[in-house]
Amino acid sequence: MAGGWNEVVFKVWKDGFIDLMELKLMMEKLGAPQTHLGLKNMIKEVDEDLDSKLSFREFLLIFRKAAAGELQEDSGLHALARLSEIDVSTEGVKGAKNFFEAKVRQAINEASRFEEEIKAEQEEKKKQAEELKQRKAAFKELQSTFTQ
């Protein structure tokens, strides 16, 4: 479950929102995939500013509604509240905030490591391309000595 949070939370805090695709990924990682319409309905149920994405405040509203028994048991939001790693009713908003900040730090560290790996791969490809270019030039030079 933690892997899903890391991936999604990093994306969420990168722009401050959970959009439809990020919610889709989150629900899949939690083992409760939803249909496109189901995801839209999940967002719609707590989207106070009607921007079709969830802010941190709107995300916390999911847990508030779950604690108040305002979510249908078969809804995606109920599954999200039940399957998540944080119990906002026990931890409170500050606990949830600390949880997400810790997950963001972890995700950023993983993302940095991933970026370093990508850069290393790109450098290796550049090096290989340059070596290939040099071998071709050397071959052409050698070839020209035989054709003269």
Side-chain angles (χ1 to χ4, degrees), residues 115-133 135:
E115 286 177 22
E116 289 171 12
E117 289 174 9
I118 289 174
K119 285 180 185 176
E121 284 179 19
Q122 289 173 341
E123 288 298 319
E124 182 63 28
K125 285 181 181 179
K126 284 181 186 177
K127 181 180 171 185
Q128 289 173 354
E130 184 59 35
E131 288 173 358
L132 180 62
K133 184 179 174 183
R135 284 196 308 268

Side-chain angles (χ1 to χ4, degrees), residues 78-141:
H78 184 268
L80 177 59
R82 183 175 41 83
L83 293 171
S84 66
E85 296 176 351
I86 184 83
D87 182 352
V88 176
S89 63
T90 304
E91 298 293 330
V93 172
K94 186 172 181 166
K97 183 175 184 267
N98 292 340
F99 167 78
F100 279 102
E101 286 174 351
K103 288 295 185 181
V104 167
R105 282 191 297 276
Q106 185 178 359
I108 288 171
N109 288 339
E110 289 178 10
S112 295
R113 189 169 13 106
F114 182 66
E115 286 177 22
E116 289 171 12
E117 289 174 9
I118 289 174
K119 285 180 185 176
E121 284 179 19
Q122 289 173 341
E123 288 298 319
E124 182 63 28
K125 285 181 181 179
K126 284 181 186 177
K127 181 180 171 185
Q128 289 173 354
E130 184 59 35
E131 288 173 358
L132 180 62
K133 184 179 174 183
Q134 289 174 357
R135 284 196 308 268
K136 283 183 178 182
F139 178 76
K140 282 187 178 189
E141 186 178 313

Side-chain angles (χ1 to χ4, degrees), residues 3-19:
W5 282 114
N6 287 342
E7 292 171 27
V8 175
V9 170
F10 175 71
K11 290 177 184 174
V12 169
W13 289 110
K14 195 172 182 183
D15 68 1
F17 298 96
I18 299 174
D19 65 21

Side-chain angles (χ1 to χ4, degrees), residues 21-55:
M21 293 310 294
E22 291 163 343
L23 183 60
K24 178 183 186 296
L25 175 64
M26 181 185 296
M27 295 306 292
E28 287 171 356
K29 294 291 181 175
L30 289 172
Q34 303 292 310
T35 64
H36 186 77
L37 183 59
L39 293 163
K40 285 178 122 177
N41 288 335
M42 287 173 66
I43 291 174
K44 187 177 179 181
E45 192 168 343
V46 290
D47 187 13
E48 295 176 321
D49 58 5
L50 305 176
D51 62 355
S52 299
K53 54 188 176 183
L54 301 178
S55 66

